[in-house]
Amino acid sequence: MSHPVFDIRGKVALVTGSSRGIGNALAHGLAEAGCVVVLNGRDPATMDTARRATAEQTGATVLAEAFDVTDHDAVAAGIARIEDRAGPLDILVNNAGMQHRAPFTEFRTEDWNRLLETNLSSAFLVGRETARRMAERGRGKIVNICSVQSALARPGITPYTATKGGLKMLTKGMCADLGPSGIQVNGLAPGYFDTELNAALVADEQFSDWIRTRTPAGRWGKVEDLVGTLLFLCSPASDFVNGQIVYVDGGMTSVL
């Protein structure tokens, strides 16, 4: 048995953007750790498929709530439904996000706004609604999924980098405001991971060679590499850890 400070069995956790990729892997890890897990996305049919698969693979109680995390009213109604169905939320993982690549001078205003809403505003809206309820109970764990782009930049993804840098500082600001209420807010920042959203980059041998050379671990990350850090940030083991960004990047942010 693991040390009791890592025990999160029976906790209720919401993971936004969790129908696939990193979000689904994080939800899967929380389910394996004994949490009641609520998946979230926009499409009810996709969410139900993910819910059934996660429940079958983990044996956990897994629910799904489809709502738009960029819509204030939808968020408020969605969080209320979740707590009615599953009980008070103990854990929130703000994972919803998207990428759009284009040169800075050619980036369209509507794509900039879409990235801001999806990657940054959603964490504010869902975080605020959840924190209001957590603060009344005097406890809670919020994990914002940041990125190596919270600290580093590369060509073609300037707006994405801006949103992830903003999410890092949102995390620190939430820590300052919510810490006195017994809520810990931290960031988990993945490096370059082999996911379906990165399939084209993984298939690009020149880019993959650059990743392997640039990363001390010498490889792309696997989604399973993120689960241990998430469980730490969601457990009593991190009760005195607040406002921190933990990079799970194979060492990329530590070297030139």
Side-chain angles (χ1 to χ4, degrees):
M1 179 178 290
S2 64
H3 196 288
V5 296
F6 295 100
D7 188 2
I8 55 174
R9 287 174 295 180
K11 300 293 186 182
V12 178
L14 166 63
V15 184
T16 66
S18 49
S19 63
R20 60 178 179 169
I22 285 175
N24 190 254
L26 297 177
H28 197 280
L30 289 169
E32 287 182 320
C35 288
V36 174
V37 175
V38 184
L39 305 182
N40 161 262
R42 294 187 181 184
D43 180 59
T46 302
M47 295 311 308
D48 189 59
T49 299
R51 180 196 63 77
R52 285 188 280 107
T54 305
E56 289 171 5
Q57 293 163 9
T58 65
T61 299
V62 183
L63 307 176
E65 276 291 342
F67 60 88
D68 182 352
V69 292
T70 70
D71 181 306
H72 165 261
D73 291 336
V75 167
I79 298 300
R81 287 196 305 271
I82 288 168
E83 294 213 337
D84 284 344
R85 295 178 64 195
L89 279 167
D90 301 292
I91 297 164
L92 166 64
V93 182
N94 275 317
N95 171 75
M98 62 170 294
Q99 177 64 285
H100 184 86
R101 297 178 175 88
F104 178 72
T105 54
E106 299 171 19
F107 218 96
R108 300 185 306 172
T109 302
E110 55 265 39
D111 292 326
W112 162 263
N113 289 333
R114 193 159 51 102
L115 278 168
L116 277 176
E117 290 176 359
T118 304
N119 294 357
L120 186 56
S121 294
S122 69
F124 167 76
L125 293 173
V126 182
R128 182 183 62 182
E129 191 65 31
T130 304
R132 285 170 172 166
R133 295 164 178 265
M134 288 178 169
E136 292 177 354
R137 300 187 284 263
R139 67 183 190 281
K141 301 281 186 176
I142 299 176
V143 181
N144 294 327
I145 304 304
C146 298
S147 169
V148 289
Q149 267 75 49
S150 295
L152 304 173
R154 58 183 302 271
I157 56 169
T158 296
Y160 178 85
T161 302
T163 64
K164 291 300 185 177
L167 188 57
K168 174 182 74 174
M169 295 312 298
L170 177 64
T171 300
K172 292 180 178 293
M174 290 170 70
C175 159
D177 269 348
L178 302 175
S181 297
I183 301 169
Q184 290 82 53
V185 187
N186 292 290
L188 192 166
Y192 281 86
F193 275 69
D194 184 353
T195 67
E196 56 192 284
L197 293 179
N198 281 335
L201 294 179
V202 175
D204 183 334
E205 267 310 309
Q206 184 176 2
F207 189 84
S208 281
D209 284 344
W210 177 79
I211 290 293
R212 288 188 284 267
T213 302
R214 179 68 177 78
T215 306
R219 63 174 176 86
W220 286 82
K222 300 176 291 186
V223 290
E224 296 81 8
D225 292 325
L226 297 168
V227 172
T229 302
L230 177 69
L231 298 184
F232 163 67
L233 293 176
C234 293
S235 73
S238 62
D239 279 354
F240 203 56
V241 178
N242 213 346
Q244 303 304 304
I245 312 299
V246 183
Y247 291 91
V248 182
D249 63 357
M252 177 177 276
T253 51
S254 295
V255 299
L256 290 172

